[in-house]
Amino acid sequence: MTTLISPLAGKPAPRSLLVDVPRLVTGYYTGLPDPTVQSQRVAFGTSGHRGSSLDLSFNEQHVLAITQAICQYRQSQEITGPLFLGIDTHALSQPACSTALEVLAANGVDVMLATNDDYTPTPAVSHAILAYNRGRTSGLADGIVVTPSHNPPDNGGFKYNPPNGGPAGSDITGGIEAAANRFLETSLTGVKRMSYAQALHAATTHRHDFVDAYVADLGNVIDFDVIRDSKVRIGVDPLGGAGVHYWARIAEHYRLDLTVVSDLVDPTFGFMSVDWDGKIRMDPSSPYAMQRLQGMKDRFDIAFACDTDHDRHGIVTPTFGLMPPNHYLTVAIDYLFRNRNSWSEHAGIGKTVVSTSLIDRVATRLGRKLFEVPVGFKWFSAGLLDGSLGFGGEESAGASFLRRDGKVWTTDKDGLVPALLAAEITARCGQDPAQVYAELVQQLGEPVADRVEAPANAAQKKQLAALKSADITAHELAGETITAVLDRAPGNNAAIGGIKITTQNGWFAARPSGTEDIYKIYAESFNEHDHLQRILKEAQAIVDKAISSP
């Protein structure tokens, strides 16, 4: 198995790749999913239900069913506060938001829509939920974000955030998913709905200024004084996403030398360069998708981008270009725990099983507890909420961390604050984050890493997810003794949904994607490239065997 790179990767998107938006939206309203077909049912992955109206995996029927299921869940849990409803810039997001409002209003739910119908980043919804719930024990708020994150332009997405402000865990989404599919199976019997015009003017529909509330509070997370005083030149590419109108407000409010390189919103995302697999994907951690900002790196002291719902970040430095997410996460963790003196000495570091082991070495040097969990930001929400985690981050460039006083900021991924932290690091250290990383690896060792991806059908993904430590009989990996075979994460004993094998100087983890029809092998070595290639080769043999068995 190898990752096949498209000949279009990194090049401007040709017109032939651009989605037909009228056809996409028409499919949303006219498509009728067949609940007996697995791919057309509601399925919550790591971040909600995602799909496309072009293949009957995301349309009005799904949104009606999911929203009614959420209303029933709210009632069962006595969640009676407002529901904060946000959307990103994908073509299907506004239609899905309208559908959701029709159901929410018919169920008497107080809904908070963005002022001026603006786009709303995922972290702004999490922030709003937490701000409303602060000090309350009843009448709590929750939220819905209509987004497929960085997925291609023909996708739609729908995710629920309970009162803790973070992504809903499987204990919640499992029930919502089951209830939604029952509605699909019974032709939506029991789904309450009113017309959009009625819903928009219902007494339960309200407006909330997400932008002002979020931007005005950012100074409690980021040290803007040091950024402003050092006159750091900042470049930002919103990638046509939900934060497109936030950056200028941030620059104005905190008087920063910040340039938004493009404020274009285009539902075809035709301004993007093509990702590794020949698809348009707004992934700020992909060097192929980030060609535009990388080409401008010498214009700024630090530059960054966020994905479509602004819950992921990409950091571009003049000395290196686009930093791999693992590099920047390591720098951010080391910097934060050295420069946030009000944080509790007991606040730990959260990472996923596929994040770099350099974080482990940084945690040991800092004397901080490491909390290693499966893929999925939901595992960090409780720790960020109660302050037992100072930082939670994923290899896929999603992270959040505490306020400067050690209290909760957001419990969902926040692409904006890690990006702005890069400017703070540059200002305070007099070096960009890539230069700081170079010093770190001189002290702690330099890992090399790779990730390979390949198509996988549902059956193959299920087989890989079910792989157990007892199924592994090998005692060595790439010439080193295996020190651990994990099918559960050491931080919380939750199932990885795959396998991780470690040695003294390397590891690999294999797992199916929760959002796309691919599977991934992550590998890392502190013994340079040849050792890494040996790990990958042996890992691939294990995975191929696992998904080829009946």
Side-chain angles (χ1 to χ4, degrees):
M1 182 195 75
T2 57
T3 300
L4 299 178
I5 305 300
S6 167
L8 293 175
K11 298 178 181 178
R15 290 187 61 85
S16 60
L17 276 186
L18 303 188
V19 67
D20 183 336
V21 174
R23 178 169 169 252
L24 186 72
V25 174
T26 299
Y28 172 82
Y29 286 110
T30 61
L32 294 174
D34 182 349
T36 66
V37 177
Q38 186 61 39
S39 63
Q40 296 178 29
R41 292 172 64 82
V42 172
F44 275 77
T46 50
S47 291
H49 174 74
R50 298 181 186 179
S52 175
S53 64
L54 301 180
D55 59 17
L56 296 175
S57 56
F58 186 94
N59 57 30
E60 186 176 49
Q61 301 276 306
H62 294 100
V63 175
L64 288 167
I66 297 169
T67 309
Q68 185 63 48
I70 289 172
C71 290
Q72 290 184 348
Y73 172 77
R74 296 181 95 245
Q75 185 175 19
S76 72
Q77 299 299 307
E78 299 183 348
I79 300 170
T80 57
L83 183 144
F84 291 89
L85 179 58
I87 67 169
D88 76 359
T89 55
H90 277 79
L92 291 178
S93 293
Q94 184 58 64
C97 179
S98 301
T99 301
L101 182 63
E102 293 173 4
V103 176
L104 293 166
N107 281 272
V109 176
D110 281 290
V111 177
M112 308 298 280
L113 292 175
T115 303
N116 300 320
D117 293 317
D118 204 357
Y119 307 110
T120 307
T122 286
V125 173
S126 178
H127 177 270
I129 294 168
L130 295 174
Y132 184 87
N133 289 343
R134 191 172 298 122
R136 298 177 187 268
T137 57
S138 62
L140 299 179
D142 54 0
I144 290 171
V145 190
V146 186
T147 174
S149 189
H150 61 291
N151 277 24
D154 66 353
N155 273 220
F158 204 85
K159 67 177 186 175
Y160 175 64
N161 286 40
N164 73 359
S170 56
D171 57 326
I172 297 173
T173 59
I176 292 173
E177 176 183 306
N181 283 318
R182 286 195 293 271
F183 286 126
L184 291 181
E185 291 162 359
T186 57
S187 302
L188 301 180
T189 300
V191 173
K192 298 179 182 179
R193 185 182 189 184
M194 64 172 61
S195 74
Y196 180 66
Q198 286 179 301
L200 198 59
H201 296 95
T204 52
T205 299
H206 315 278
R207 293 291 174 174
H208 177 71
D209 194 335
F210 286 94
V211 184
D212 267 2
Y214 181 89
V215 171
D217 206 12
L218 272 173
N220 291 309
V221 188
I222 301 295
D223 186 347
F224 286 107
D225 291 339
V226 70
I227 299 173
R228 182 173 55 253
D229 293 346
S230 67
K231 298 180 172 55
V232 171
R233 295 170 300 146
I234 305 168
V236 182
D237 190 345
L239 299 182
V244 64
H245 299 142
Y246 281 60
W247 292 106
R249 296 278 283 276
I250 292 169
E252 178 184 11
H253 190 91
Y254 295 104
R255 305 193 307 280
L256 305 180
D257 182 358
L258 185 153
T259 301
V260 179
V261 303
S262 174
D263 60 3
L264 176 65
V265 174
D266 169 14
T268 71
F269 294 90
F271 52 81
M272 291 293 299
S273 51
V274 178
D275 205 4
W276 66 273
D277 57 354
K279 296 182 180 181
I280 297 174
R281 187 180 287 108
M282 291 63 68
D283 182 355
S285 67
S286 166
Y288 303 106
M290 285 281 283
Q291 287 294 304
R292 178 167 65 182
L293 193 57
Q294 289 191 92
M296 303 178 186
K297 68 182 180 65
D298 295 329
R299 289 175 47 188
F300 306 105
D301 298 314
I302 191 71
F304 35 78
C306 291
D307 68 336
T308 324
D309 69 324
H310 270 48
D311 71 347
R312 301 181 188 223
H313 61 273
I315 309 300
V316 176
T317 70
T319 59
F320 186 84
L322 179 66
M323 293 184 70
N326 272 321
H327 292 197
Y328 181 63
L329 292 179
T330 306
V331 170
I333 289 166
D334 189 66
Y335 174 84
L336 283 166
F337 282 89
R338 292 179 183 276
N339 289 276
R340 295 298 189 260
N341 296 327
S342 295
W343 285 11
S344 166
E345 62 182 11
H346 302 296
I349 297 168
K351 59 164 275 191
T352 59
V353 293
V354 297
S355 299
T356 177
S357 288
L358 188 58
I359 293 174
D360 304 42
R361 298 186 180 192
V362 167
T364 298
R365 188 170 72 169
L366 291 169
R368 295 283 179 166
K369 180 181 178 181
L370 188 70
F371 183 64
E372 186 174 355
V373 299
V375 172
F377 202 81
K378 61 188 179 183
W379 304 112
F380 301 128
S381 296
L384 290 168
L385 185 62
D386 65 17
S388 60
L389 288 179
F391 181 97
E394 296 188 294
E395 173 273 346
S396 55
S400 191
F401 47 90
L402 299 178
R403 296 168 181 265
R404 293 159 71 186
D405 66 1
K407 293 185 172 64
V408 63
W409 167 245
T410 61
T411 49
D412 207 333
K413 296 189 294 286
D414 189 330
L416 292 93
V417 293
L420 289 165
L421 183 70
E424 181 186 326
I425 292 170
T426 303
R428 176 162 281 116
C429 298
Q431 298 176 302
D432 68 45
Q435 293 171 311
V436 177
Y437 180 79
E439 291 187 354
L440 265 179
V441 297
Q442 282 184 351
Q443 300 161 7
L444 298 175
E446 183 171 9
V448 289
D450 200 1
R451 185 179 81 180
V452 291
E453 302 173 336
N457 60 36
Q460 291 171 324
K461 290 169 64 176
K462 184 176 181 180
Q463 288 172 319
L464 179 54
L467 196 61
K468 300 296 182 183
S469 57
D471 299 326
I472 305 302
T473 58
H475 299 287
E476 288 190 350
L477 176 67
E480 292 192 321
T481 300
I482 291 174
T483 55
V485 179
L486 305 172
D487 56 39
R488 292 186 171 271
N492 61 357
N493 200 39
I496 292 172
I499 204 80
K500 181 175 182 178
I501 295 178
T502 66
T503 67
Q504 182 178 352
N505 292 295
W507 59 268
F508 84 84
R511 59 177 295 273
S513 170
T515 58
E516 299 181 80
D517 288 331
I518 58 176
Y519 70 100
K520 307 175 184 181
I521 291 180
Y522 308 76
E524 183 176 66
S525 170
F526 281 84
N527 285 348
E528 301 186 350
H529 186 73
D530 288 346
H531 186 240
L532 174 66
Q533 293 308 307
R534 288 188 63 187
I535 292 174
L536 281 170
K537 182 178 180 180
E538 294 180 24
Q540 289 169 16
I542 293 171
V543 173
D544 288 344
K545 181 179 179 181
I547 66 174
S548 63
S549 59

